[in-house]
Amino acid sequence: MEDLAVEPSSSHVDAMDIASMIPWLVGGLFLAKWAAQLWLERLNSAHVSAQAGSVPEAFRATVDEATYRKSVEYTLVRSRLRQIEMTYDSVVLPAVLVSGVLPWGLTAFARWLGPSVWASAVFLFVAGVALSLPDLPFDWYDQFRLEERFGFNTTTQKLWWVDRLKGMLLAAALGYPLLVLVLKLAEWAGPWWWLWAWGALLGFQCLLMVLAPVLILPLFNKFTPLAQSSLRERLLDLAQRTGFRARSIRVMDGSKRSRHSNAFFTGFGAFRQIVLFDTLIEQLAEPELEAVLAHEIGHYKKKHLIKTLAASALGSLAALYLLSVLAQEAWLYRAFGFHATSLVAALLLFSLLSGLFTFWFSPLGHWWSRRHEYEADAFASQVMSEPHSLIRALRKLNQKNLSNLTPHPFYSGFYYSHPTLLEREQALGGTSVTGRHTHQHAARV
Ligand SMILES: [Zn+2]
């Protein structure tokens, strides 16, 4: 690398100028994101509180006073925790960035393990784990205080810690080889390394989708085929009617960790499968479960999984290209105290800073996801020849999960991957009037 200190040139001066401005710019971006997050939380909480007095008109026939009050309280308490966590994150991450601990760590690891790609990947992995630690107390509090208080928690302390440990080992087993591969590709492939890295990432993602249901999810939960019953007959009949070869409808022991209920769809091609939480089966009647399954089959039939994967592939292509450009800029390293250009440092900085930009684009992704939900709902209503079973299922799910029935439209528009209960009912031709549902711990049907 050119020794900039010995031979000052005009580009050197520019690099210095930019480097000294970057921390301020990044600080401003952190501040802007934090302010937007806080504003959205407060807006939403105020909106919910303003209607907390009695059950809103639109829900009077379907939600009782006690459940409604509890859902309001749950929403407000969750929002308070989120506000504290956002504020905390907005202090911790910038502090890490300006403290110089990252360049120090990189140098220390290089001295300890040598400059190889294998050693660099260890550094990245350790940094990733270390940076996830500050949020651990919040996760713990969420599960054992907040969720506990509202009767959702069924996780034991031991299970919670074992989950964390398993998650870390899994990240090491999958993430470490991927990091090594990407860094090796950068060494081998020259200026087009980012395209190769993208190919590797894509292959890895596809592999993961195939492996997840077979190898990864069973590490955390028990999956059993849905037992012989009238429900099973009904669901298989639905699968046949919709031309969905139901290789497996499996039941997951979600109750092991939480009373929240859900259903989801994983894998593709021959590996696809539909998973119903045991909590869901407990909460819904047979026609409602059939409607939920029809909704999941709708996601499959409308190719939502493939479309989402394609969109995220385009996103990661753009991100890797941007990374390859930024990784050549001296000011990036100088700004955060790194002594030399290194892809490892660039990768680390990029992953820590990208959220400052992606945050503002996330509503676009959520809007797209909500469109998919509407399509799956319409499909379900069509194959069921009536919308009422699905509407009843959605109402129950929203109640059982204490979803926020009346979020502020800005808030749900920004954060929600699913339309609100009333939006879905309206689209299905149920009731009218406005209202909404929650994005965290919501019914993810
Ligand atoms: Zn869905």
Side-chain angles (χ1 to χ4, degrees):
M1 205 187 95
E2 182 194 10
D3 190 350
L4 296 169
V6 175
E7 200 173 45
S9 63
S10 65
S11 73
H12 160 225
V13 174
D14 288 350
M16 287 299 283
D17 281 352
I18 298 175
S20 59
M21 272 159 46
I22 294 294
W24 294 102
L25 181 69
V26 167
L29 287 171
F30 269 110
L31 204 64
K33 182 182 169 188
W34 172 75
Q37 285 176 322
L38 219 60
W39 180 74
L40 281 165
E41 288 301 328
R42 301 230 160 140
L43 183 74
N44 192 47
S45 289
H47 191 73
V48 169
S49 300
Q51 299 170 77
S54 63
V55 184
E57 185 62 43
F59 303 102
R60 220 155 272 174
T62 51
V63 182
D64 63 82
E65 190 80 30
T67 307
Y68 178 67
R69 279 191 193 290
K70 211 172 163 193
S71 79
V72 166
E73 204 191 337
Y74 185 57
T75 302
L76 295 178
V77 170
R78 286 216 75 85
S79 177
R80 224 167 298 147
L81 183 67
R82 282 164 64 84
Q83 288 178 45
I84 296 171
E85 189 172 6
M86 285 160 180
T87 306
Y88 172 79
D89 284 343
S90 306
V91 172
V92 169
L93 200 51
V96 167
L97 283 166
V98 298
S99 68
V101 68
L102 298 176
W104 172 83
L106 182 62
T107 312
F109 263 81
R111 214 173 281 152
W112 177 39
L113 294 172
S116 72
V117 158
W118 304 91
S120 303
V122 172
F123 167 70
L124 282 175
F125 182 76
V126 170
V129 171
L131 286 164
S132 74
L133 292 180
D135 277 328
L136 215 55
F138 282 95
D139 296 344
W140 187 92
Y141 183 88
D142 185 357
Q143 190 66 34
F144 294 109
R145 291 293 178 266
L146 208 155
E147 291 290 287
E148 179 74 37
R149 175 175 153 198
F150 287 90
F152 286 122
N153 178 42
T154 54
T155 310
T156 60
Q157 290 285 344
K158 188 184 159 206
L159 179 63
W160 193 82
W161 285 104
V162 169
D163 279 352
R164 295 292 163 299
L165 190 68
K166 278 187 196 167
M168 206 168 73
L169 292 175
L170 197 64
L174 297 170
Y176 180 72
L178 183 68
L179 278 173
V180 170
L181 181 63
V182 167
L183 293 174
K184 279 274 181 207
L185 283 170
E187 261 185 16
W188 293 333
W192 292 92
W193 70 269
W194 54 276
L195 205 56
W196 288 91
W198 180 66
L201 199 67
L202 218 56
F204 180 78
Q205 246 180 328
C206 290
L207 191 71
L208 214 58
M209 283 180 72
V210 173
L211 292 184
V214 196
L215 289 179
I216 299 171
L217 297 179
L219 292 176
F220 296 90
N221 282 95
K222 217 158 72 193
F223 293 82
T224 40
L226 186 57
Q228 197 74 45
S229 60
S230 59
L231 173 65
R232 186 165 179 272
E233 291 306 309
R234 185 190 270 269
L235 297 185
L236 286 178
D237 182 63
L238 169 76
Q240 193 140 43
R241 220 159 67 226
T242 52
F244 181 85
R245 280 181 303 129
R247 186 150 305 176
S248 64
I249 299 171
R250 297 202 292 171
V251 182
M252 188 185 109
D253 60 344
S255 58
K256 185 175 159 188
R257 292 189 180 78
S258 166
R259 291 194 179 88
H260 284 294
S261 49
N262 209 342
F264 63 89
F265 177 87
T266 65
F268 55 86
F271 300 98
R272 64 175 183 264
Q273 61 172 343
I274 280 171
V275 177
L276 304 173
F277 279 38
D278 54 356
T279 41
L280 189 79
I281 294 177
E282 201 179 288
Q283 289 167 3
L284 300 186
E286 283 189 15
E288 295 158 5
L289 280 162
E290 185 184 353
V292 166
L293 183 64
H295 170 99
E296 297 303 326
I297 292 176
H299 280 308
Y300 172 75
K301 287 279 172 187
K302 305 281 179 187
K303 302 193 168 35
H304 292 157
L305 212 61
I306 304 287
K307 286 179 187 169
T308 307
L309 193 68
S312 94
L314 280 180
S316 53
L317 181 67
L320 277 165
Y321 170 71
L322 195 64
L323 172 65
S324 76
V325 172
L326 285 175
Q328 294 172 354
E329 298 295 335
W331 51 258
L332 177 74
Y333 303 97
R334 288 177 166 275
F336 298 101
F338 289 94
H339 306 301
T341 51
S342 86
L343 183 59
V344 177
L347 257 172
L348 190 59
L349 288 173
F350 195 78
S351 61
L352 291 179
L353 297 174
S354 59
L356 294 177
F357 300 93
T358 53
F359 171 74
W360 304 98
F361 295 103
S362 62
L364 210 64
H366 294 145
W367 168 79
W368 204 45
S369 163
R370 292 195 299 267
R371 271 187 34 176
H372 288 170
E373 294 307 323
Y374 282 127
E375 282 178 21
D377 279 356
F379 178 89
S381 160
Q382 195 192 333
V383 298
M384 297 287 291
S385 318
E386 47 87 11
H388 306 294
S389 303
L390 185 59
I391 289 175
R392 268 199 305 276
L394 293 173
R395 282 178 182 165
K396 273 194 194 173
L397 286 173
N398 275 270
Q399 285 187 35
K400 294 285 182 192
N401 289 295
L402 294 178
S403 300
N404 178 9
L405 294 171
T406 55
H408 193 282
F410 265 20
Y411 189 84
S412 57
F414 199 95
Y415 282 124
Y416 282 21
S417 60
H418 287 57
T420 67
L421 177 61
L422 273 189
E423 284 170 341
R424 293 175 85 168
E425 285 192 22
Q426 275 169 17
L428 282 164
T431 55
S432 54
V433 202
T434 52
R436 274 126 209 285
H437 113 163
T438 179
H439 75 285
Q440 233 191 354
H441 295 273
R444 281 273 181 263
V445 163

